[in-house]
Amino acid sequence: MPADYHTHTPLCRHATGEPEAFVDQALAAGITEYGISDHAPQVPEPFDEWRMLDEEMPAYFEWVERARKHAGGRIPIRVGLECDWLEGNEEWIAQLAARHPWDYLIGSVHYLGDWDFDNPKWLGRWAESDVDAVWSHYWKTYTRMIDSGLFDIMGHPDLVKKFSHIPAGDLTRFYEPAIDALASSGSVIEINTAGWHKPCAEAYPAPGFLELACSAGVPLVISSDSHAPSEIGRDFAKAIEWAKAAGYRETQLFEKRKRRSEML
Ligand code: ZN
Ligand code: FE
Ligand code: FE
Ligand code: ZN
């Protein structure tokens, strides 16, 4: 079973559960490693209401320490962050990266300009938007994030489909620039199983994206994006099937921002 590196803690204000319960579920699910990657602080604060504050970083490391203590060597505990890719944010990300010997950093696009388009609170804005234009904006932004070289794992590649706003026809035109950027950057993508539990009812990214990524030699991890202990390792069997169907034979493990592969 692969590692599960994309998981949250209650510090982000929209996740629940004690570290001990997350570790217990990680052991029960049989994943290789449990990685914690909560929503990173973002300046200027308060930036929004769904992330930890900068002053809560010590509490974050205490939370990770509790997980480690409970695991007691039964499963490796890794630590990273899920960072937001925003225009002009490079310096802040570099600062966060230097704060700690992270095992990995996940880069995610949740914002297009001032709009966190995956937040159900702003669904009305989708109704007023041209879906093709939003997709173009999203994929341009996602590709710039890949090109920044600041992240180890690219989060939920087609999150823009979350509420099922999807352009008609073949989506390859949106995927291709991102695939090219991934291939030349050497960065890793995730299959994020949380998508199966959102209105789109499909893991991120779609099989079409996954096939292109595999053909281009883009390495893979599988993630649950857990916001509660019961979600750790959720739908990994299904995700492994998807990965194999796309041609993948291995997934990646991270330690101190170095990666190695393990067979699927
Ligand atoms: Zn979250
Ligand atoms: Fe996210
Ligand atoms: Fe997440
Ligand atoms: Zn996420």
Side-chain angles (χ1 to χ4, degrees):
M1 198 62 97
D4 190 354
Y5 287 143
H6 186 155
T7 73
H8 294 277
T9 84
L11 286 165
C12 70
R13 296 159 169 78
H14 61 281
T16 53
E18 301 299 318
E20 293 80 9
F22 279 90
V23 170
D24 288 344
Q25 177 56 26
L27 290 167
I31 55 171
T32 312
E33 302 188 350
Y34 164 42
I36 301 153
S37 55
D38 212 357
H39 295 287
Q42 180 59 51
V43 286
E45 291 188 321
F47 189 80
D48 52 32
E49 70 289 347
W50 51 268
R51 67 187 62 250
M52 69 176 111
L53 294 168
D54 201 9
E55 67 184 29
E56 290 171 317
M57 289 272 273
Y60 184 51
F61 294 123
E62 276 166 35
W63 202 95
V64 172
E65 233 10 82
R66 271 179 63 191
R68 249 184 212 134
K69 203 169 166 199
H70 186 70
R74 291 178 294 167
I75 182 171
I77 309 295
R78 306 291 181 214
V79 60
L81 289 170
E82 180 182 14
C83 303
D84 276 80
W85 175 254
L86 308 163
E87 289 310 310
N89 207 24
E90 291 89 338
E91 215 173 288
W92 174 244
I93 303 292
Q95 252 192 64
L96 287 173
R99 293 264 188 102
H100 187 79
W102 306 107
D103 291 306
Y104 55 87
L105 293 179
I106 301 174
S108 290
V109 174
H110 304 110
Y111 276 94
L112 296 174
D114 65 351
W115 177 28
D116 44 340
F117 63 86
D118 72 322
N119 190 340
K121 215 166 145 182
W122 316 123
L123 253 176
R125 201 153 154 181
W126 267 110
E128 302 157 5
S129 300
D130 176 69
V131 173
D132 261 73
V134 177
W135 271 58
S136 297
H137 190 184
Y138 176 83
W139 287 103
K140 251 178 222 150
T141 308
Y142 202 83
T143 301
R144 277 200 293 271
M145 172 174 81
I146 297 163
D147 284 335
S148 77
L150 289 165
F151 308 104
D152 305 290
I153 300 168
M154 304 299 146
H156 35 58
D158 59 356
L159 179 66
V160 67
K161 76 179 174 195
K162 179 173 176 180
F163 301 113
S164 294
H165 304 91
I166 301 171
D170 189 356
L171 299 172
T172 308
R173 67 186 187 281
F174 294 104
Y175 301 158
E176 259 165 357
I179 299 287
D180 289 346
L182 286 163
S184 48
S185 71
S187 47
V188 173
I189 57 161
E190 64 173 6
I191 295 181
N192 185 311
T193 63
W196 273 313
H197 304 273
K198 305 296 183 203
C200 61
E202 180 180 82
Y204 314 109
F209 185 97
L210 214 52
E211 281 160 29
L212 291 173
C214 187
S215 302
V218 179
L220 180 75
V221 296
I222 294 176
S223 311
S224 66
D225 210 341
S226 294
H227 287 71
S230 61
E231 294 167 11
I232 295 285
R234 183 167 62 168
D235 296 331
F236 270 32
K238 203 158 131 192
I240 289 168
E241 271 174 45
W242 270 38
K244 287 183 172 166
Y248 280 100
R249 294 295 171 261
E250 55 185 40
T251 54
Q252 306 300 312
L253 295 173
F254 283 91
E255 186 174 4
K256 303 281 186 281
R257 307 198 72 181
K258 295 216 172 0
R259 71 174 170 88
R260 62 191 170 86
S261 54
E262 75 172 345
M263 291 307 289
L264 251 182

